[in-house]
Amino acid sequence: YNDGTRITPQNELLLTDKSKLRLSCGPHLTPLSRQQTKTLLDGWLPIILLQTEASGVRYEFTLWATPLPTVKDWRAAFNWPTEGENFLNWIKVKATNLGRSPTEAHVRLDRLGTNTTTIGQWRAKLPPRKSAETVFRVPFVPVSRAAAFDAEDAGVWLDRTVRYWRDLLGQGARIAVPCEKATQALRAAHVCQFIANDHGVLHGGEGFYDEFYIRDGGYQILELEEAGLSDAAAKAMDAYLHAQRPDGRFETQKDQFDANGQALWVLWQYWKITGDRDWLRRAYPQMRRAVEWIKKARREAPSDSPFAGVLP
């Protein structure tokens, strides 16, 4: 998808048009903040876990994203925006009374934009040592009939999310080292790369650094290739071939002159790893044009110039 939901250091959700979704809980409806540490389910899945305590109640939040439940083929929509760019954010809350006396849990969701609007609220009476749960469903882009999602089973969609990401990374190489955190970090890096991969075009980040740089993309491509995630690598190659200027030079960012040589390396490296000669036959004429630009550019400075033979 072109956009994804980010979570700020203050644990707000960044939605469309830079609006923020603030989560507050407790008797004073204290907003979540930097005080709550985010972790990932199993150390790498894009399912965010965090918790806080307020007045003797522990609040456990689980956050994840799925296609809109109204899509015709949810499996296909997980992998590609088959029916539009919108998607659904899920926020599951479990409140547990840690004390010996009855109490009440209270959670509120506010959308912060030009005006602050409360879009969800939940209260629950909690006997001693007992828990209660609720789920909020928030589309990335507001829709007129969001209440229709209220009947959707959060457990079903959480399970689908886990299975989708496990299956996706399961298509690639299995890499594990004795340090479990290192293995989790590698998997999390792959997940971040997929999320920032906009319609097959590799971007450095989501919302920030959200552009295609040929040089940086070269290392991102190599990551996918060496991980055996060949489908994503193949889609990314199309973006490279479409990034050639009429004069033969490859460029995605103005005057990024190192991009041309890096593009050649990426294209040649792709063939070396895949051995796909049919693809190379299609790409090779463009590679030749890029080399011709290099040869021409190196002759631009006169022979008596200190920059003779050097690229711009």
Side-chain angles (χ1 to χ4, degrees):
Y1 289 61
N2 275 327
D3 297 295
T5 298
R6 288 185 288 152
I7 303 179
T8 70
Q10 291 79 17
N11 289 318
E12 300 161 325
L13 278 65
L14 292 183
L15 304 177
T16 186
D17 297 330
K18 299 182 179 179
S19 65
K20 294 180 180 180
L21 186 66
R22 184 174 63 196
L23 312 177
S24 305
C25 62
H28 305 295
L29 289 174
T30 304
L32 297 184
S33 67
R34 290 176 179 264
Q35 298 301 313
Q36 295 84 40
T37 300
K38 294 177 280 291
T39 60
L40 303 178
L41 184 65
D42 293 343
W44 64 274
L45 286 161
I47 297 165
I48 312 299
L49 310 175
L50 56 89
Q51 67 177 33
T52 188
E53 290 185 18
S55 298
V57 177
R58 180 174 64 236
Y59 295 87
E60 299 171 72
F61 293 83
T62 304
L63 306 95
W64 72 99
T66 71
L68 293 178
T70 50
V71 297
K72 297 176 183 177
D73 186 342
W74 62 264
R75 290 180 180 85
F78 252 113
N79 200 48
W80 202 261
T82 56
E83 299 176 52
E85 293 283 346
N86 205 4
F87 55 90
L88 193 62
N89 297 287
W90 298 76
I91 303 165
K92 185 175 77 170
V93 186
K94 179 181 179 181
T96 303
N97 182 357
L98 303 176
R100 299 179 183 275
S101 302
T103 189
E104 184 181 61
H106 191 185
V107 178
R108 193 175 74 193
L109 274 60
D110 296 310
R111 187 186 295 273
L112 312 180
T114 306
N115 299 302
T116 298
T117 306
T118 298
I119 64 171
Q121 196 157 190
W122 174 67
R123 292 177 181 269
K125 299 292 186 181
L126 296 176
R129 310 295 184 180
K130 296 298 182 179
S131 301
E133 294 186 359
T134 191
V135 178
F136 298 97
R137 302 158 183 85
V138 183
F140 181 73
V141 179
V143 297
S144 58
R145 298 182 179 178
F149 302 140
D150 291 348
E152 295 292 333
D153 190 319
V156 169
W157 283 98
L158 181 59
D159 180 64
R160 288 173 176 175
T161 305
V162 170
R163 283 191 286 125
Y164 167 73
W165 285 102
R166 287 194 182 282
D167 291 347
L168 181 60
L169 264 63
Q171 297 169 16
R174 181 178 180 273
I175 300 172
V177 297
C179 176
E180 184 179 9
K181 278 193 173 291
T183 302
Q184 292 171 351
L186 176 64
R187 291 174 180 166
H190 287 318
V191 169
C192 286
Q193 182 61 81
F194 275 113
I195 291 175
N197 191 355
D198 296 352
H199 293 261
V201 181
L202 293 170
H203 288 204
E206 185 63 50
F208 62 96
Y209 200 22
D210 202 347
E211 295 178 302
F212 173 36
Y213 282 82
I214 284 177
R215 175 193 60 213
D216 305 66
Y219 299 108
Q220 294 167 278
I221 287 263
L222 189 63
E223 169 212 341
L224 296 171
E225 292 168 340
E226 293 183 339
L229 299 167
S230 54
D231 182 61
K235 289 184 171 114
M237 299 314 298
D238 291 338
Y240 276 82
L241 294 176
H242 287 129
Q244 191 168 38
R245 291 157 37 109
D247 62 1
R249 178 164 68 89
F250 283 97
E251 180 187 74
T252 56
Q253 308 298 324
K254 182 174 172 55
D255 295 336
Q256 188 188 23
F257 288 105
D258 60 345
N260 190 63
Q262 197 77 24
L264 286 166
W265 179 85
V266 168
L267 297 170
W268 189 243
Q269 187 74 18
Y270 180 78
W271 171 74
K272 287 175 66 179
I273 288 178
T274 64
D276 188 341
R277 294 188 67 85
D278 289 337
W279 177 87
L280 182 62
R281 288 189 185 96
R282 297 193 300 271
Y284 197 71
Q286 290 186 237
M287 298 167 69
R288 285 291 303 267
R289 290 180 58 217
V291 172
E292 291 301 321
W293 178 86
I294 293 174
K295 291 163 66 177
K296 180 181 178 181
R298 291 184 63 190
R299 293 194 295 266
E300 288 182 356
S303 58
D304 58 349
S305 167
F307 303 108
V310 178
L311 286 169

